[in-house]
Amino acid sequence: MRYTLTLCLVLALGLAALADEKKESRAAPNVVRVGNPAPGDAPVKEVQVSAKKYEYTPEVIEVPVKTLARIHLTATDREHGFELSSIKDSCVKFKPGEPATLEFYADKSGTYEFKCCKVCGIHHGRMKGKLVVK
Ligand SMILES: [Cu+2]
């Protein structure tokens, strides 16, 4: 009997710890990190990008190499997406009033195309821009 009680207590504590962990990982639901992880001491460049049918402002983002680009995405008319074409699973979607942030550590210089990854209308396919790392 005592053994069963102890076991129940241990299980309950374990579940509570699990629940806590889940809460923590959900703390920042709208930040998506893509690509290689950034070293802890990497400089950060904050960039604001707004999206509407069918363009991003700005269309060209410049980030110094070996910098963490923290790209804050807002939509002004309807839901849009932002995806780095050459980076797998980098699509982030965001709606008016529900911004999102994409973090990308630019460890190599080059030009990364980005595009909308949420079908947003007839000219969705031309909604593109460039992230220039130099
Ligand atoms: Cu679109």
Side-chain angles (χ1 to χ4, degrees), residues 84-100:
L84 289 164
S85 306
S86 59
I87 309 288
K88 208 175 160 245
D89 298 327
S90 62
C91 174
V92 181
K93 293 175 185 171
F94 48 100
K95 297 175 182 168
E98 293 176 36

Side-chain angles (χ1 to χ4, degrees), residues 73-131:
L73 301 158
T74 50
T76 58
D77 54 357
R78 56 151 295 149
E79 186 176 18
H80 290 286
F82 182 103
E83 176 179 35
L84 289 164
S85 306
S86 59
I87 309 288
K88 208 175 160 245
D89 298 327
S90 62
C91 174
V92 181
K93 293 175 185 171
F94 48 100
K95 297 175 182 168
E98 293 176 36
T101 300
L102 180 137
E103 288 188 349
F104 173 64
Y105 178 61
D107 59 350
K108 275 181 230 139
S109 59
T111 298
Y112 299 79
E113 185 187 84
F114 60 82
K115 62 184 182 193
C116 184
C117 55
K118 162 74 192 170
V119 177
C120 57
I122 191 163
H123 297 300
H124 160 70
R126 74 173 191 213
M127 196 164 163
K128 291 177 183 171
K130 282 182 179 127
L131 173 68

